[in-house]
Amino acid sequence: MDENSYDFTAIRGVQAGAAYFVIMVPLKVVPRLFRFDDEVLPPQLRAQRVLNRARVPEIARYIAENPGEYILSSLCASVDGELEFTPAAATGTFRAVGQLRIAMSATILINDGQHRRAAIEEAIQERALLGDETISVVVFADRGLKRSQQMFADLNLHAVRPTKSIKLLYDHRDDLAKLSRELVNEIPLFRDFTDLEKTSISNRSLKLFTLSTIHQATAELIGKPKTAVPTQDDRALALRFWTEVISNMPDWQRVLTRDVVAAELRRDYIHAHGVAVQAIAIAGARLLKMRPKNWSARLTKLREIDWSRANRTLWDGRALVAGKLNKSRNNVILVSNLILQTFDVPPCAENERIESLYGTRSTNSLRAAS
């Protein structure tokens, strides 16, 4: 290679009969070295999707706010130009280790990782010292637009986002997630019958709750924004509230004593689904605000609600839509309104608005239940 070049220590590998290389690139070099596919081109002439700039600040904030813990997966790039690999040894283990030279005139295009690349650029503007740290980059020789497009498709072919429950289980920075895990560990029914990995429960599952449902419901109960840190009072309140709720849900207790399986409750009752758990929490938050001294006594009225799915007069248009359970935000609010009426506690103005907007049948069922 006669012209000027970028030089990197690299590891050489082979996939699909073609060589590729893994290099370490300082973060401060990433914005200069790697370019985006041209966003003004139509999709059929690009090798990448258009950068979603709304995603970038969150990733950049994650890097900048966790300088001692952040982790970034490798970027993947194609080099359209001359590159040359010189192994450290002709034979043996080190023949796959050496120096990779990339001509400065070459175009290095990101196939996977454009949002990470943009976030790195923002993060090092806020924390300049991060610029000396590195990210691994997998480098392929560019074999044309068609191949680059296929690479993008293949790289995303088997990508599966982790469920919300598993993210909550493993996220040790999120204080509300920590509270949710503590509740699951300390409340016997939650401990024995909460699925910690899935966001939805299959019909035959022996589990009654998901971690994501408990997390979402507890967030509604304590009413703290996502970034707020729950206090010890919040923790004590949530623990007492869910313990009191369980003591007033005989069917839930029957699951704990193994007198009935959760799958049977899911088939026959509204309270065995996330829509009811979240609605109980929303109603509970309102109850705590309106009746701070005797809220626990009002929870006994949960026993008076006919949770049976067969009661179509009560649940159609509220928890059931066309005979099927619906967990939309509006349906959760409508169920919470019914619970609040049972508590003899008025809903907030927003909940009243939703009650008036969504279906006369639902409203009539609420009147009939009173």
Side-chain angles (χ1 to χ4, degrees):
M1 185 180 295
D2 296 329
E3 59 182 297
N4 294 331
S5 62
Y6 300 108
D7 295 350
F8 299 97
T9 300
I11 300 173
R12 180 183 183 273
V14 176
Q15 286 185 4
Y20 71 96
F21 308 92
V22 180
I23 62 175
M24 300 297 160
V25 180
L27 297 186
K28 62 188 175 186
V29 177
V30 167
R32 301 198 303 267
L33 190 61
F34 304 106
R35 64 178 289 270
F36 293 129
D37 211 345
D38 195 344
E39 294 181 12
V40 302
L41 292 174
Q44 65 271 24
L45 297 181
R46 293 198 309 265
Q48 255 281 22
R49 56 191 163 194
V50 172
L51 180 73
N52 180 357
R53 297 195 179 276
R55 289 182 55 196
V56 174
E58 183 178 359
I59 303 172
R61 190 163 51 249
Y62 158 73
I63 299 169
E65 292 179 358
N66 299 282
E69 292 185 333
Y70 79 91
I71 184 168
L72 295 171
S73 57
S74 300
L75 304 178
C76 180
S78 295
V79 177
D80 183 9
E82 190 175 359
L83 70 165
E84 179 182 285
F85 178 72
T86 304
T91 59
T93 304
F94 289 101
R95 66 180 179 178
V97 180
Q99 183 182 57
L100 180 68
R101 303 183 66 197
I102 303 175
M104 287 188 176
S105 60
T107 298
I108 309 176
L109 187 68
I110 291 181
N111 297 104
D112 183 62
Q114 59 174 345
H115 294 93
R116 273 164 281 154
R117 177 243 181 250
I120 288 169
E121 186 172 11
E122 284 194 16
I124 59 179
Q125 290 175 1
E126 184 175 340
R127 282 185 175 268
L129 290 177
L130 291 174
D132 292 325
E133 299 190 359
T134 59
I135 186 170
S136 58
V137 182
V138 182
V139 177
F140 294 85
D142 193 315
R143 290 190 276 164
L145 177 63
K146 184 176 180 180
R147 174 57 183 160
S148 292
Q149 290 175 335
Q150 187 62 57
M151 284 175 62
F152 175 80
D154 291 347
L155 286 166
N156 290 277
L157 179 63
H158 300 295
V160 178
R161 291 177 62 87
T163 65
K164 185 175 181 181
S165 285
I166 200 72
K167 287 192 288 185
L168 293 169
L169 183 64
Y170 293 159
D171 191 345
H172 298 281
R173 293 194 191 96
D174 187 326
D175 290 288
L176 185 56
K178 179 182 178 182
L179 172 58
S180 301
R181 293 194 299 269
E182 289 174 349
L183 292 173
V184 169
N185 288 332
E186 294 189 30
I187 298 174
L189 180 65
F190 287 175
R191 183 181 61 240
D192 293 349
F193 294 96
T194 296
D195 194 315
L196 300 177
E197 296 187 50
K198 297 177 182 176
T199 302
S200 59
I201 300 177
S202 66
N203 290 336
R204 299 186 213 177
S205 174
L206 298 178
K207 302 297 185 181
L208 187 57
F209 312 98
T210 66
L211 179 58
S212 60
T213 293
I214 293 171
H215 177 269
Q216 193 170 3
T218 302
E220 297 277 8
L221 176 68
I222 66 176
K224 291 285 181 73
K226 184 178 179 180
T227 55
V229 178
T231 64
Q232 282 301 315
D233 288 342
D234 293 329
R235 183 185 183 282
L237 177 63
L239 182 61
R240 183 185 171 196
F241 176 83
W242 288 118
T243 301
E244 294 276 0
V245 166
I246 292 167
S247 71
N248 288 290
M249 300 290 282
D251 287 334
W252 288 8
Q253 295 174 50
R254 290 171 62 213
V255 172
L256 182 60
T257 57
R258 275 69 174 181
D259 292 324
V260 67
V261 295
E264 293 178 11
L265 290 190
R266 268 193 304 281
R267 182 190 64 204
D268 298 332
Y269 294 95
I270 300 297
H271 61 44
H273 296 269
V275 61
V277 178
Q278 193 175 346
I280 289 171
I282 293 172
R286 182 68 174 171
L287 174 63
L288 287 163
K289 181 177 181 180
M290 303 299 292
R291 304 285 189 271
K293 293 184 178 180
N294 67 340
W295 62 267
S296 61
R298 299 291 177 112
L299 288 177
T300 61
K301 291 182 174 292
L302 287 169
R303 295 172 176 266
E304 300 175 11
I305 299 174
D306 180 4
W307 296 98
S308 173
R309 294 179 67 154
N311 189 344
R312 300 293 292 272
T313 301
L314 187 61
W315 298 114
D316 272 4
R318 190 168 296 277
L320 300 174
V321 176
K324 295 183 178 181
L325 208 74
N326 192 301
K327 200 188 172 183
S328 72
R329 179 66 180 179
N330 288 334
N331 287 100
V332 171
I333 295 297
L334 291 171
V335 174
S336 74
N337 287 347
L338 184 146
I339 297 170
L340 282 171
Q341 185 174 61
T342 306
F343 290 162
D344 194 24
V345 172
C348 66
E350 175 62 15
N351 288 18
E352 285 185 338
R353 184 187 70 82
I354 291 174
E355 190 70 42
S356 66
L357 284 177
Y358 291 93
T360 56
R361 184 171 185 179
S362 174
T363 303
N364 291 336
S365 71
L366 183 56
R367 291 170 183 157
S370 62

